[in-house]
């Protein structure tokens, strides 16, 4: 479940606590990564989802995302 934190005319910021939360997900995450200057295997959705699966016990996931016009444009973990 994602929680809307801030909404502007064309931009929204959300807090996601699951890598499957809208607007996250494998396709959107990896599309954003492919368009960035930092293309590392360690930043792929698959790597982070596997890492989280292994190390999540007793922890909470907080991922902040920014959308512009319904498209994912930023992620902070």
């Amino acid at each position: 479940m994602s929680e809307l934190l801030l909404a502007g005319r064309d931009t929204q910021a959300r807090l996601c606590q699951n890598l499957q939360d809208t607007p996250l997900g494998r396709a959107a995450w990896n599309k954003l990564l492919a368009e960035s200057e930092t293309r590392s295997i360690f930043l792929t959705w698959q790597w982070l989802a596997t890492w989280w699966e292994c190390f999540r016990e007793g922890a909470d996931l907080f991922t902040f995302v920014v959308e512009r016009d319904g498209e994912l444009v930023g992620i902070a973990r």
Side-chain angles (χ1 to χ4, degrees), residues 14 17 20 24 28 30 35 40-41 46 59 62 68 70 72:
R14 294 183 177 278
Q17 293 186 290
Q20 300 291 344
L24 288 178
N30 286 336
E35 295 169 354
S40 167
I41 192 167
Q46 293 87 335
F62 295 101
R68 184 178 303 125
L72 186 62

Side-chain angles (χ1 to χ4, degrees), residues 13-65:
R14 294 183 177 278
L15 169 63
C16 298
Q17 293 186 290
N18 184 316
L19 292 174
Q20 300 291 344
D21 285 347
T22 302
L24 288 178
R26 178 185 294 189
W29 184 296
N30 286 336
K31 179 180 182 284
L32 181 62
L33 179 59
E35 295 169 354
S36 76
E37 292 181 20
T38 308
R39 290 180 214 91
S40 167
I41 192 167
F42 302 111
L43 296 176
T44 62
W45 185 94
Q46 293 87 335
W47 180 275
L48 291 168
T50 301
W51 178 88
W52 180 243
E53 187 176 312
C54 292
F55 296 105
R56 70 180 172 197
E57 188 174 324
D60 294 316
L61 177 70
F62 295 101
T63 304
F64 298 92
V65 299

